[in-house]
């Protein structure tokens, strides 16, 4: 649902420039609509700061229900906005307001969703199961692109070339209404994660007051004080992931229309098969990371970005559809390697009691400053420099930064999440985990949330109450 909206907005940016920026100087019109991306991302850290701690306190499921409802409503309302021809500059302001609501809700959405998926996924296959979250995200973007392409073709075919500017741009946004109803209903049916419930079994007051324990539930200051290294690592990796991701998705339709000269429908349609193929391959990358580790896959992503990005944009600028498809595939390779690990590697940086908060801070600050501003910044630099490969250089810079961060990142593949019991797929696996925990290098019982009657020193003699099948 989240990425469906971004897909719609990205592929309608040029169309919405005509609808919402009437009266502005021509050189500022496209940037004004693209600023809608930046606006939504500027408020995401606030959403993370508010919804992250709330998710650690009241539960992941409750916050995820609220964020989905906010996203669905605000997306549908964009489709009902009056145009600049009707109310002048107020149309653009109202668009920004709704993008702010979307940004706030998304500040808790991705952090909460990755936390939720990571805490339910079994330790030995967290990369595989976690990758389905981002597979859904990119398929959502592809669905948005498909709806825009179909709407553009049908409306212009039956109502003339100006149909998208007249009314057609509203249709994709209004489809958020039935999708939102389904999504919100599903969110009301999901259970809370066992990891959160295990941590809630401890005394609430002692958790909040024990600020010297990094595994306790902490306020924002405590999260920053105890987990600043993990926050910086997360920010660097998220910046690399999302500059590549948003270049491939949100910025690519603008680049293909404005720089390459493709028709709006063609710019939308040409990216769909690439996004679908990349999305379907993400579980394979996730499974690979379960076997070889998250860090080697991330390192491969860094290397692929440095090697492939400049040639990809050079090939793209030759202008043919075949060249564009080849170039998009080249950009999708490092992007897929990055995003497949997001839901498994990033939540593992933080302990259970502060995981939602840590993800909310690191992910949203990074996306706000670097990822979500990628379309705006790269388009601005492109206009100022006239250099076709500016987007490639921008993406590469953040990948190099992520490569440095990897040097300080701990491997989390095959291991229980910090502050949580092992998560397994069967009772048989649970029994084997308990029997072999003394010799298993991936098991550390020191900070698992045992009940008061079982201390960490004698934990090896009993079966942890929280081992979930």
């Amino acid at each position: 649902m989240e990425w469906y909206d971004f897909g719609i907005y990205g592929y309608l940016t040029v169309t919405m420039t005509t609808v919402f920026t009437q009266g502005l100087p021509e050189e500022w019109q496209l940037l004004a609509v693209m600023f809608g991306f930046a606006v939504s991302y500027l408020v995401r850290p606030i959403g993370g700061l508010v919804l992250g701690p709330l998710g650690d306190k009241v539960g992941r499921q409750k916050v995820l229900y609220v964020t989905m409802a906010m996203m669905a409503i605000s997306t549908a309302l964009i489709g009902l906005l009056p145009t600049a021809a009707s109310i002048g500059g107020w149309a653009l302001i109202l668009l920004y307001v709704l993008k702010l609501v979307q940004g706030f809700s998304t500040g808790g959405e991705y952090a909460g969703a990755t936390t939720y998926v990571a805490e339910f996924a079994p330790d030995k296959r967290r990369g595989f199961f976690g990758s389905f979250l981002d597979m859904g995200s990119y398929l959502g973007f592809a669905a948005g692109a498909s709806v825009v392409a179909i709407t553009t073709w049908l409306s212009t075919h039956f109502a003339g070339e100006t149909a998208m500017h007249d009314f057609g741009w509203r249709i994709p946004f209004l489809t958020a209404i039935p999708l939102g109803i389904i999504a919100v209903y599903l969110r009301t049916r999901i259970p809370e994660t066992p990891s959160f419930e295990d941590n809630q079994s401890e005394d609430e007051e002692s958790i909040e007051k024990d600020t010297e324990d990094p595994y306790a539930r902490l306020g924002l200051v405590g999260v920053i004080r105890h987990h600043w290294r993990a926050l910086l690592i997360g920010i660097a990796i998220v910046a690399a992931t999302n500059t590549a991701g948003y270049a491939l998705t949100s910025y690519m339709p603008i680049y293909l229309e404005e720089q390459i000269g493709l028709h709006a429908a063609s710019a939308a349609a040409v990216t769909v098969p690439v996004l679908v193929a990349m999305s379907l391959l993400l579980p394979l990358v996730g499974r690979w990371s379960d076997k070889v580790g998250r860090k080697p896959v991330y390192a491969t992503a860094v290397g692929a970005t440095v090697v492939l990005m400049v040639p990809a944009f050079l090939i793209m600028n030759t202008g043919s559809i075949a060249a564009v498809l080849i170039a998009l595939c080249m950009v999708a390779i490092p992007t897929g390697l990055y995003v497949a690990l997001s839901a498994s590697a990033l939540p593992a940086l933080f302990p259970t009691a502060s995981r939602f908060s840590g993800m909310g801070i690191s992910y949203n600050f990074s996306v706000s400053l670097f990822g979500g501003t990628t379309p705006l910044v790269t388009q601005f630099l492109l206009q100022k420099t006239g250099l076709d490969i500016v987007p490639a250089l921008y993406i590469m810079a953040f990948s190099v930064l992520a490569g440095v961060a990897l040097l300080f990142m701990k491997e989390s593949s095959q291991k229980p999440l910090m502050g949580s019991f092992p998560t397994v797929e069967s009772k048989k696996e649970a029994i084997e985990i308990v029997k072999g925990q003394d010799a298993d290098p991936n098991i550390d019982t020191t900070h698992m949330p045992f009940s008061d009657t079982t201390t960490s020193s004698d934990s090896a003699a009993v079966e942890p109450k929280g081992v979930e099948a």
Side-chain angles (χ1 to χ4, degrees):
M1 184 71 200
E2 173 191 352
W3 279 73
Y4 178 77
D5 165 71
F6 288 125
I8 293 171
Y9 196 88
Y11 285 97
L12 288 175
T13 297
V14 177
T15 300
M16 294 175 70
T17 298
T18 303
V19 175
F20 285 95
T21 62
Q22 185 175 328
L24 285 179
E26 185 176 350
E27 64 270 20
W28 291 105
Q29 289 181 357
L30 180 59
L31 292 175
V33 177
M34 292 178 68
F35 186 65
F37 278 116
V39 164
S40 65
Y41 284 97
L42 290 174
V43 78
R44 280 183 72 155
I46 300 175
L49 292 173
V50 173
L51 299 172
L54 190 64
D56 284 327
K57 184 173 184 178
V58 304
R60 287 65 162 119
Q61 186 269 346
K62 294 182 179 66
V63 172
L64 287 172
Y65 167 80
V66 172
T67 59
M68 181 55 67
M70 292 176 66
M71 174 60 74
I73 292 170
S74 55
T75 300
L77 288 177
I78 290 177
L80 298 174
L81 285 177
T83 66
S86 302
I87 61 172
W90 285 104
L92 196 58
I93 293 174
L94 290 174
L95 177 64
Y96 289 163
V97 169
L98 291 176
K99 295 301 288 182
L100 285 171
V101 175
Q102 288 182 335
F104 182 87
S105 67
T106 308
E109 170 63 29
Y110 192 78
T114 53
T115 296
Y116 189 89
V117 170
E119 290 181 349
F120 258 116
D123 298 333
K124 295 186 183 300
R125 294 211 291 167
R126 184 172 295 113
F128 174 70
F129 284 111
S131 65
F132 281 90
L133 178 64
D134 283 285
M135 184 181 78
S137 298
Y138 279 84
L139 286 176
F141 196 97
S146 301
V147 169
V148 170
I150 293 170
T151 302
T152 301
W153 185 81
L154 289 175
S155 61
T156 54
H157 180 75
F158 290 104
E161 289 298 320
T162 62
M164 284 301 291
H165 299 133
D166 296 337
F167 66 89
W169 66 271
R170 299 182 184 274
I171 296 173
F173 288 106
L174 294 177
T175 57
I177 296 175
L179 291 176
I181 292 173
I182 295 170
V184 171
Y185 171 77
L186 291 174
R187 285 282 168 91
T188 65
R189 310 296 295 177
I190 60 175
E192 190 52 80
T193 70
S195 295
F196 174 79
E197 292 179 335
D198 289 335
N199 272 268
Q200 287 299 100
S201 66
E202 298 185 35
D203 180 68
E204 288 288 329
E205 291 188 5
S206 66
I207 292 176
E208 294 187 2
K209 291 180 180 179
D210 188 9
T211 56
E212 296 306 314
D213 181 6
Y215 284 80
R217 193 173 74 222
L218 305 166
L220 292 175
V221 175
V223 171
I224 295 172
R225 182 165 75 108
H226 287 291
H227 305 299
W228 62 269
R229 291 181 183 84
L231 290 171
L232 291 177
I233 292 170
I235 288 171
I237 293 175
V238 170
T241 302
N242 284 277
T243 50
Y246 285 107
L248 179 63
T249 54
S250 300
Y251 181 61
M252 198 53 66
I254 301 166
Y255 189 87
L256 293 176
E257 286 186 59
E258 293 292 308
Q259 198 69 17
I260 308 300
L262 293 186
H263 185 272
S266 298
V270 74
T271 57
V272 171
V274 177
L275 290 174
V276 171
M278 185 192 79
S279 301
L280 296 178
L281 290 173
L282 293 183
L284 297 180
V285 179
R287 178 174 289 175
W288 181 37
S289 76
D290 285 329
K291 294 184 177 182
V292 303
R294 317 286 186 234
K295 293 180 67 173
V297 179
Y298 269 136
T300 305
V302 172
T305 303
V306 173
V307 171
L308 295 176
M309 207 57 64
V310 169
F313 276 84
L314 291 175
I315 293 172
M316 192 183 303
N317 278 278
T318 62
S320 69
I321 294 295
V324 169
L325 277 171
I326 293 171
L328 289 176
C329 290
M330 293 172 68
V331 176
I333 290 172
T335 302
L337 293 173
Y338 274 125
V339 300
L341 306 190
S342 293
S344 55
L346 297 176
L349 294 171
F350 307 97
T352 298
S354 301
R355 183 167 297 123
F356 205 143
S357 299
M359 279 293 298
I361 296 171
S362 61
Y363 186 85
N364 290 300
F365 268 93
S366 186
V367 171
S368 175
L369 293 174
F370 311 117
T373 57
T374 295
L376 180 66
V377 173
T378 51
Q379 181 64 22
F380 177 79
L381 293 174
L382 188 63
Q383 291 180 2
K384 290 297 182 182
T385 65
L387 190 62
D388 292 337
I389 61 170
V390 159
L393 299 176
Y394 190 76
I395 296 166
M396 289 165 60
F398 286 101
S399 275
V400 171
L401 183 64
V404 175
L406 285 178
L407 299 176
F408 302 94
M409 177 182 172
K410 294 181 180 179
E411 183 58 65
S412 60
S413 178
Q414 301 283 323
K415 298 178 181 179
L417 295 170
M418 285 194 295
S420 293
F421 292 120
T423 306
V424 297
E425 294 185 78
S426 66
K427 185 174 181 179
K428 179 181 178 181
E429 187 181 347
I431 294 172
E432 291 175 353
I433 286 280
V434 174
K435 286 182 177 179
Q437 63 183 303
D438 289 335
D440 191 338
N442 291 326
I443 300 295
D444 178 10
T445 61
T446 307
H447 297 289
M448 292 182 185
F450 292 97
S451 63
D452 293 337
T453 58
T454 305
T455 65
S456 59
S457 61
D458 61 13
S459 59
V462 300
E463 179 175 351
K465 62 181 175 59
V467 175
E468 298 289 338

